[in-house]
Amino acid sequence: MKLRLAPQPLEWIDRKSSVSFTFEGQTVSGFKGDVISSALWAQGRKVVGRSFKYHRRRGLLSFANHDINALLQAEDRPNVRADVVQAEDGMSLTAVNTFGSLASDKGALVEWIGKFLPVGFYYRAFYSPKFLFPKWERLIREMAGLGKVNTDWSEERKPKRYLHCDVVVIGAGPSGMAAAIAAAKQGVDVCLIDENPYIGGSLDYQYVNEDSQQLNRKYLKETVESMPNIQVITSSYVAGYYGDHWLGINTPDGLIKLSAQAVVVASGVFEQPAVFRNNDLPGVMNASAAQRLMARYAVAPCKEAVILTANPEGYRAALDLHKNGLVVKAILDTGKTAGESVVQAKSAGIPVFENAVLVEATGRKQLQGVTFEVGRLQHHLSCDGLLMSVGWAPAGAPLYQAGAKFGYNYTLEQLLPVELPEGVFACGRINGVFEIEDRIKDGEQAGTAAAQTVLGKEALAPVDYTAKSAHSDPYPIWPHPKGKEFVDFDEDIQIKDLKGAIAQGFDNIELMKRFSTIGMGPSQGKHSNMNGIRILAKLTGKTIDQTGSTTARPMFHPTPVSHLAGMRFRPERLTPLHSFHQQRNACFMEAGSWLRPEYYPTAETREASIAEEVSAVRNSVGLIDVSTLGKLEVFGRDAGELMDRLYTMRMSNMNVGASRYALMVDETGVVIDDGVAVRYSEEHFYVTTTTSTSDSAYRLIQKKVIEWGLKVTVLNRTGQIGAMNLAGPNSRKILAQLTDLDLSNDAFPYLAMRRAQVCGVEATLIRVGFVGELGYEIHTDSQSALKIWASIMEVGSEYGIKPFGVEAQRLLRLEKGHIIVGQDTDGLTNPFEANMPWSVHLKKPYFLGKPSLMKLKTLQNRTLVGFELLSKAHKDMPLESNLLIENGAMIGRVTSIGRSATLNKVIGLAMVETAFSEENQVLKIKLTDGRFVDAKVIKTPFYDPQGLLQKPDESNEGEAA
Amino acid sequence: MTNPTVQLALKSLANLLHLRGEGLNEILASFGAESLEIFQYQSLGEGQFVAKLGTDELYLSVEPSVELAEEKNQYAFPRGDAAFELSGNWKALLSEVCIYDFRQCRPGDFLMVSIAGISAWLLIPESDKPLILGCDPTYGHYFQETLIKQIEKSPFLKTELENDD
């Protein structure tokens, strides 16, 4: 292996285990623990990708999860980040964004015509001639983008997990570890999060060769591991900070939603590249990238290095190379750095050029040398590695998202947090603290303060550990007349592109970003924003603070959609009678969160099965599961008052043992619910709601009870009570065999309610006629419902009883002209429009929606009408929601429609403009295919208009008891 | 379930009742549970318990049933809740389906939380005992299926298992 070093003290690789994979068809070997990039680099493969726009050869730059030119295509996923994804046996990888191969990429032709493709060219081109645009679009789509998504892959979802702690520390470098320990020592629960597989951070690559840090390292790591109240989460990053200290943490296994009471941000800094001609040649990289490559994977960044630096960290990197036996040709200092590492470097015999400027990298396919000037004298050094250490930018995404304010510190030449939200703390290099001992103290201080916030203690006045000298060059940017000085390696943005954007008026940081696309690539500006800000500030004559910064939105790194989606929780309710329906092979349908039998397949077709069920109800008897109805118990001193206020009809005058239609409207008078109310006692009502509104009705009623200050209790008993409707001419004969209750018309008249034992079980019986036949709703506790149902089916077999489903019920009620709230009404329908003025008792002192209904009574401009189809051809069957058209204008829509075997015609309900609602009015229904069929308005109910069948042999009108 | 980290089993609770009304403290006293705070429960042995949900609200599982005082407007509503027993690292499982911070709860707490999108109640046990939890019976099937699926597929639970090793 060409660039593999001797074992390093803290290396992450296992030299006893090797891995082998292919890259661009060639076999690559590495060690277990190698990331893809380190394995490639160790073999001397310095070209790992092509750039986005010009398809220039690119190598490693930051080696910190934002090496955007090292994105690879794997068989099962695109855009694999080679700088952080571990190499695995059998991987088959290719570079993304190439036309041909990485070695011979036809896309590189773009560079030759680059001058015709200035910044933002796509905003101004391709508009005319218009007919060419689709061709341009195809070409652009082909050229743009990186990896290819394999759309054949099936749905993938990863679980999400909630995690709670007192203090979360982001970043497990020396400051973060110290913060976690300090907080944990206060007795609070701490989570320590780091995106690397091991804790340690820069302590393990910038100070790996410094004996003085061995004690610190041992103490910090061992203490973190030994404290039971510190939970360490590695290989995971904070994708976003949200309100109230909620963090989204992306782990390899899925997303964690973490809630903390205090947040310590010790996320460190991003090293920023210098901007000079050919700064993108493979071999030019950040010095910290080189240090990570050596310390973690024992791979040399090069054989002969030149260091370009503006800080002691660059000198330290030079010493690391020197210690590993690599040649350091020179250190090019953009200023005159002082300090111990400078002395050591000079003592080691490394030549130092101070005040170096006008740097230029040379080489064709990869770095071969560097040219620079000192005191107007030009120098050239041959090398295969140019390591840049010219400055830092805060890894401040969590702070920005938390609402922290940053200001530019001219001593450090770095943006620092100057205002932090409550419960949020920063420490370490992001805080401008660079000396290692100070970073540890700063971490301890932040961790202690965070814990004290949690414990409600007063924090001590913070000590300022900010560095006293610059660690960044104020302008590490050297424009070149021939260009190719890259500011943004994601999008191939050069200095001239930013100049062009500014010249065209995009001279605000957010505008410049969007026009030039700087910071909009996969790394989201992690290595380009700071230089972009410096360039904009210089060209507009503003300060860094006046120039501002772009917004750091979540996600911090690209986060898989499968992680964001999480597991799908879709609650599904089964009625207490579900097992029976299953035994009868019912075809189920979703009704809100419920599964209900649509029909029972007893005939050859769906329609025939439904017709059989309808016929059974009309001619003998049928049984339907109505357990999905909402069921509310209302009891207490003010129960009658509450019922009066909630429903449009008067309820407080109901007799005990009576039932009444219960229609609810909202404040605007719009119908929102209907059901049946019964009165158990003076202070106790039981009321049903529609299937889909039980929860919303319950919430509304609870809110109103509080608002109105009534002494009443409302319980939602929907799931605790099973219910069924026994309907048909023979229903009474069956029920009579199962109860001792007197079912005669006199003793139990239409619309009455009785509580009795059925099959030895307590039940509530209500004589209602939703389907227009003699019928009994039977309500009982959920455990007993199946017993009653089974007994009814058994006794009913003598009468040919059939269970019937939702579709049969819909048809049966349509024949009676009964509405379904939400189907025959919409979000604007009031009771007058629904043709139910009888249900509104405006003489009541008050009910919810009364003021609106009083006005709406005279403002009605549409009406729900019944109609029959004039065509009998089956192919002309309209659908619900088909429109009614008159003279080209819409005058209404079909709300319900069905073919009534009982009446031998197609009937329906339609909401039409009042002018078209008169009986015998011909309506033109526009079918889905555009043809029209005629229908005629007729009176409802369509079936048994006198209502004689639901109260046979009875003279009583309405409720009794 | 056979996952060694966490196991789910159906639980049968006798005569579940929801009591509302005045003077319920006397009923509590009849079980020797007069000192119960709101949202605490007391185990009555053999799987029976009584929980205080408010000054005028109790939830209990007792055999035989309780006698109500009509003059105090006491109402009893039978419940058929689906009930389960979760043993092992139940907090790890629930962290995937419930937002609640279980660090706050103590043995003897009666919790009402949302789990996998539905309302559920929990009897927080002593540290070595299984958790009893229940929900509306119509959601029982969904609840059980969801928890089992989570137990079988969760990579987080596998991690917990590895850590235990």
Side-chain angles (χ1 to χ4, degrees):
Chain A
M1 293 189 183
K2 293 177 180 173
L3 291 171
R4 188 72 74 178
L5 297 169
Q8 301 293 298
L10 301 170
E11 66 186 22
W12 290 359
I13 53 172
D14 176 3
R15 290 174 186 260
K16 291 175 190 157
S17 306
S18 61
V19 292
S20 177
F21 61 95
T22 64
F23 177 64
E24 293 277 311
Q26 294 183 351
T27 302
V28 180
S29 299
F31 292 124
K32 190 179 177 189
D34 258 324
V35 291
I36 298 162
S37 284
S38 66
L40 290 171
W41 205 267
Q43 292 204 338
R45 291 207 61 147
K46 292 190 175 181
V47 179
V48 293
R50 290 276 181 165
S51 68
F52 174 69
K53 183 174 175 183
Y54 298 122
H55 293 253
R56 285 168 67 91
R57 292 175 179 82
R58 291 279 165 84
L60 302 184
L61 173 67
S62 63
F63 206 51
N65 206 0
H66 43 92
D67 258 351
I68 289 327
N69 300 132
L71 293 183
L72 306 180
Q73 180 81 38
E75 286 176 328
D76 60 343
R77 56 199 160 126
N79 301 332
V80 172
R81 294 191 164 204
D83 58 340
V84 289
V85 173
Q86 287 202 353
E88 290 173 17
D89 266 329
M91 275 179 156
S92 176
L93 303 163
T94 54
V96 300
N97 193 38
T98 59
F99 296 87
S101 66
L102 180 60
S104 177
D105 178 9
K106 294 185 184 69
L109 289 171
V110 174
E111 190 168 9
W112 293 96
I113 57 169
K115 64 181 172 185
F116 301 111
L117 305 172
V119 62
F121 72 95
Y122 37 81
Y123 292 131
R124 290 167 293 169
F126 313 122
Y127 286 107
S128 63
K130 206 172 176 180
F131 71 91
L132 280 179
F133 183 76
K135 296 183 191 304
W136 287 119
E137 186 187 7
R138 272 198 298 278
L139 179 67
I140 293 165
R141 286 190 186 283
E142 183 65 24
M143 293 295 291
L146 295 168
K148 300 260 187 286
V149 175
N150 184 343
T151 52
D152 288 340
W153 287 93
S154 57
E155 178 186 292
E156 189 181 315
R157 287 174 177 273
K158 289 289 182 84
K160 286 182 189 171
R161 184 165 61 140
Y162 292 100
L163 190 59
H164 302 266
C165 66
D166 297 316
V167 174
V168 59
V169 180
I170 305 171
S175 313
M177 289 189 289
I181 292 165
K185 281 183 175 174
Q186 301 281 317
V188 300
D189 293 334
V190 179
C191 275
L192 178 61
I193 297 158
D194 199 282
E195 67 175 305
N196 293 295
Y198 306 100
I199 62 172
S202 60
L203 190 60
D204 285 0
Y205 62 84
Q206 277 191 324
Y207 297 90
V208 65
N209 293 315
E210 295 198 16
D211 295 340
S212 61
Q213 292 310 314
Q214 282 188 22
L215 276 178
N216 277 336
R217 183 178 298 113
K218 181 177 164 62
Y219 165 74
L220 291 169
K221 287 188 172 182
E222 288 182 1
T223 310
V224 164
E225 282 165 17
S226 68
M227 296 192 79
N229 54 340
I230 298 179
Q231 182 175 357
V232 179
I233 303 173
T234 51
S235 302
S236 304
Y237 59 85
V238 175
Y241 173 99
Y242 302 90
D244 295 330
H245 306 326
W246 276 94
L247 306 179
I249 297 170
N250 191 51
T251 78
D253 289 327
L255 208 64
I256 293 177
K257 295 180 181 179
L258 185 145
S259 166
Q261 295 183 60
V263 181
V264 177
V265 180
S267 47
V269 285
F270 299 125
E271 183 151 50
Q272 301 296 295
V275 181
F276 53 84
R277 181 166 168 78
N278 292 329
N279 60 343
D280 65 331
L281 279 175
V284 182
M285 70 172 76
N286 286 337
S288 59
Q291 287 176 302
R292 281 187 279 273
L293 198 56
M294 289 187 290
R296 293 174 176 174
Y297 307 103
V299 175
C302 55
K303 290 178 177 166
E304 293 183 320
V306 170
I307 314 289
L308 173 63
T309 188
N311 50 38
E313 291 89 328
Y315 285 85
R316 198 172 288 122
L319 290 168
D320 286 342
L321 266 74
H322 182 72
K323 176 154 187 167
N324 274 300
L326 303 172
V327 176
V328 182
K329 286 276 189 83
I331 295 173
L332 315 184
D333 193 328
T334 63
K336 203 169 178 181
T337 305
E340 195 182 327
S341 55
V342 177
V343 174
Q344 287 178 8
K346 287 178 178 172
S347 303
I350 300 172
V352 175
F353 292 85
E354 292 175 338
N355 299 314
V357 293
L358 298 176
V359 180
E360 178 184 345
T362 59
R364 207 168 71 80
K365 293 185 177 178
Q366 58 188 55
L367 180 72
Q368 291 176 316
V370 56
T371 301
F372 59 98
E373 281 188 22
V374 174
R376 297 196 174 179
L377 275 178
Q378 195 174 61
H379 301 264
H380 180 82
L381 296 169
S382 63
C383 60
D384 65 339
L386 174 55
L387 313 186
M388 304 172 286
S389 180
V390 294
W392 310 91
L399 289 181
Y400 279 114
Q401 289 157 20
K405 298 227 172 351
F406 279 72
Y408 193 73
N409 184 302
Y410 286 93
T411 304
L412 267 77
E413 300 290 357
Q414 181 184 324
L415 284 166
L416 297 182
V418 291
E419 197 179 313
L420 293 170
E422 193 178 340
V424 177
F425 304 85
C427 61
R429 290 191 292 174
I430 194 173
N431 216 17
V433 182
F434 278 84
E435 291 302 321
I436 187 70
E437 301 296 342
D438 289 344
R439 286 161 67 182
I440 292 169
K441 286 177 195 162
D442 200 39
E444 287 170 349
Q445 174 170 267
T448 303
Q452 285 174 330
T453 299
V454 172
L455 298 170
K457 295 180 183 171
E458 219 166 284
L460 300 170
V463 177
D464 183 8
Y465 294 108
T466 312
K468 302 297 182 284
S469 60
H471 283 252
S472 295
D473 188 292
Y475 202 75
I477 296 155
W478 293 283
H480 192 282
K482 291 182 180 176
K484 304 298 178 216
E485 339 84 329
F486 290 92
V487 184
D488 187 310
F489 290 70
D490 295 25
E491 305 276 304
D492 277 353
I493 307 295
Q494 306 167 55
I495 296 174
K496 67 172 185 179
D497 295 321
L498 300 185
K499 278 184 179 170
I502 294 164
Q504 290 174 72
F506 299 98
D507 55 359
N508 167 285
I509 187 70
E510 295 285 5
L511 292 176
M512 185 181 83
K513 170 182 173 176
R514 277 152 188 82
F515 189 73
S516 69
T517 70
I518 185 171
M520 287 172 66
S523 78
Q524 290 286 287
K526 292 182 179 71
H527 59 247
S528 62
N529 272 354
M530 197 61 231
N531 284 328
I533 293 167
R534 292 188 197 280
I535 291 168
L536 178 61
K538 180 158 186 161
L539 293 179
T540 56
K542 293 178 178 172
T543 64
I544 297 289
D545 283 336
Q546 286 168 338
T547 304
S549 181
T550 53
T551 310
R553 296 186 180 86
M555 305 295 165
F556 181 63
H557 291 312
T559 303
V561 174
S562 58
H563 290 209
L564 296 173
M567 298 298 282
R568 192 180 190 199
F569 295 126
R570 194 156 178 257
E572 181 181 84
R573 303 183 85 168
L574 305 181
T575 77
L577 306 166
H578 188 78
S579 59
F580 172 87
H581 308 320
Q582 277 186 314
Q583 283 169 12
R584 290 296 182 101
N585 297 317
C587 287
F588 289 98
M589 59 178 281
E590 290 186 352
S593 57
W594 294 91
L595 270 189
R596 296 192 71 182
E598 183 189 14
Y599 66 98
Y600 300 84
T602 53
E604 281 190 4
T605 65
R606 172 182 179 274
E607 286 68 25
S609 298
I610 294 167
E612 284 185 0
E613 292 172 17
V614 170
S615 175
V617 176
R618 289 282 177 248
N619 300 309
S620 180
V621 65
L623 184 64
I624 183 170
D625 180 359
V626 293
S627 302
T628 59
L629 291 171
K631 305 172 204 80
L632 308 177
E633 304 265 3
V634 180
F635 54 96
R637 190 190 66 197
D638 296 329
E641 176 70 18
L642 176 67
M643 294 293 285
D644 268 350
R645 293 191 192 197
L646 288 174
Y647 294 100
T648 56
M649 294 172 82
R650 190 182 291 277
M651 297 292 182
S652 58
N653 65 353
M654 279 172 67
N655 293 325
V656 172
S659 74
R660 190 168 288 176
Y661 180 64
L663 182 73
M664 190 188 285
V665 299
D666 65 13
E667 280 91 346
T668 64
V670 170
V671 174
I672 55 172
D673 185 40
D674 74 344
V676 172
V678 303
R679 190 165 204 167
Y680 282 152
S681 69
E682 281 302 312
E683 296 185 355
H684 191 177
F685 290 81
Y686 174 70
V687 60
T688 62
T689 76
T690 65
T691 292
S692 55
T693 58
S694 62
D695 288 343
S696 59
Y698 175 67
R699 279 196 298 272
L700 174 71
I701 295 170
Q702 287 285 42
K703 185 179 157 201
K704 290 298 171 188
V705 167
I706 295 167
E707 270 181 27
W708 293 333
L710 298 176
K711 191 168 175 55
V712 61
T713 301
V714 182
L715 292 185
N716 187 350
R717 302 264 296 146
T718 301
Q720 301 293 340
I721 294 175
M724 60 205 84
N725 186 10
L726 178 65
N730 290 319
S731 56
R732 182 160 21 205
K733 293 173 192 163
I734 294 169
L735 190 58
Q737 297 180 54
L738 301 172
T739 180
D740 293 334
L741 183 70
D742 182 354
L743 298 176
S744 67
N745 287 333
D746 288 340
F748 191 4
Y750 180 57
L751 292 182
M753 177 280 298
R754 295 290 180 268
R755 300 175 95 170
Q757 292 224 326
V758 179
C759 307
V761 175
E762 286 293 330
T764 294
L765 307 173
I766 313 169
R767 260 199 72 184
V768 286
F770 188 52
V771 298
E773 300 291 346
L774 173 66
Y776 302 86
E777 262 188 26
I778 304 166
H779 296 235
T780 188
D781 67 85
S782 59
Q783 301 100 307
S784 306
L786 191 57
K787 180 180 179 185
I788 295 178
W789 176 283
S791 300
I792 291 173
M793 289 303 297
E794 188 182 338
V795 173
S797 62
E798 181 186 341
Y799 300 92
I801 191 170
K802 274 186 174 294
F804 64 103
V806 174
E807 275 309 310
Q809 181 183 240
R810 278 182 177 166
L811 199 54
L812 290 161
R813 68 86 205 179
L814 178 60
E815 290 174 346
K816 283 297 291 180
H818 291 154
I819 68 160
I820 295 178
V821 171
Q823 176 172 327
D824 298 303
T825 67
D826 57 29
L828 295 170
T829 309
N830 63 57
F832 304 117
E833 293 174 332
N835 207 7
M836 299 163 68
W838 52 267
S839 66
V840 182
H841 292 185
L842 290 174
K843 288 181 181 171
K844 276 203 294 183
Y846 173 81
F847 64 87
L848 188 64
K850 181 186 170 187
S852 299
L853 288 180
M854 288 184 74
K855 289 181 183 168
L856 289 168
K857 189 178 181 184
T858 55
L859 294 175
Q860 186 183 345
N861 55 18
R862 57 181 191 155
T863 308
L864 191 69
V865 297
F867 68 82
E868 67 177 42
L869 213 58
L870 296 177
S871 162
K872 289 192 175 177
H874 186 74
K875 62 186 169 62
D876 293 340
M877 185 76 171
L879 300 175
E880 284 151 7
S881 289
N882 277 165
L883 301 181
L884 308 178
I885 305 293
E886 186 68 29
N887 292 327
M890 188 185 87
I891 60 161
R893 66 180 176 90
V894 175
T895 62
S896 292
I897 193 162
R899 186 179 298 278
S900 167
T902 315
L903 303 168
N904 192 28
K905 58 187 175 185
V906 174
I907 55 171
L909 297 174
M911 185 66 78
V912 297
E913 290 180 12
T914 307
F916 299 93
S917 63
E918 291 298 317
E919 202 174 341
N920 294 323
Q921 167 77 41
V922 174
L923 303 170
K924 292 188 178 307
I925 303 173
K926 189 176 184 181
L927 302 177
T928 307
D929 64 9
R931 291 179 301 118
F932 285 86
V933 292
D934 288 344
K936 186 176 74 176
V937 175
I938 58 171
K939 272 188 178 173
T940 56
F942 304 102
Y943 172 76
D944 184 24
Q946 305 302 318
L948 301 176
L949 295 171
Q950 57 204 28
K951 42 187 177 178
D953 309 320
E954 269 178 282
S955 55
N956 292 342
E957 270 300 324
E959 72 183 64
Chain B
M1 290 309 308
T2 54
N3 188 317
T5 304
V6 60
Q7 301 85 37
L8 178 75
L10 281 168
K11 173 89 176 166
S12 176
L13 292 176
N15 199 23
L16 275 169
L17 284 177
H18 185 192
L19 300 190
R20 294 296 299 256
E22 297 161 12
L24 295 178
N25 273 340
E26 291 167 23
I27 293 177
L28 273 183
S30 70
F31 295 116
E34 59 271 31
S35 60
L36 269 187
E37 299 284 330
I38 291 174
F39 294 122
Q40 284 191 333
Y41 76 95
Q42 181 167 310
S43 178
L44 304 175
E46 297 179 353
Q48 300 182 61
F49 68 89
V50 56
K52 186 172 181 176
L53 309 189
T55 52
D56 58 356
E57 190 168 8
L58 298 181
Y59 185 53
L60 41 85
S61 166
V62 288
E63 201 80 80
S65 192
V66 293
E67 283 190 18
L68 301 177
E70 273 187 35
E71 70 281 6
K72 291 178 179 170
N73 294 318
Q74 292 177 346
Y75 293 82
F77 299 96
R79 290 184 65 97
D81 289 355
F84 306 90
E85 195 171 84
L86 259 182
S87 42
N89 194 352
W90 56 266
K91 286 183 184 175
L93 172 65
L94 293 189
S95 74
E96 298 183 22
V97 289
C98 177
I99 195 171
Y100 186 79
D101 181 2
F102 287 98
R103 293 180 308 148
Q104 302 171 37
C105 64
R106 299 286 175 267
D109 285 352
F110 181 93
L111 292 185
M112 289 189 284
V113 293
S114 176
I115 294 178
I118 63 167
S119 299
W121 52 263
L122 285 70
L123 304 180
I124 302 300
E126 296 293 336
S127 59
D128 56 338
K129 297 276 171 44
L131 173 80
I132 309 294
L133 67 169
C135 68
D136 183 297
T138 59
Y139 284 117
H141 183 74
Y142 160 78
F143 196 67
Q144 185 181 12
E145 267 193 353
T146 303
L147 292 184
I148 287 174
K149 189 174 164 190
Q150 210 70 21
I151 290 170
E152 287 175 344
K153 295 194 171 175
S154 166
F156 293 122
L157 285 177
K158 283 176 191 159
T159 306
E160 296 283 342
L161 183 59
E162 283 160 13
N163 287 346
D164 287 349
D165 289 345

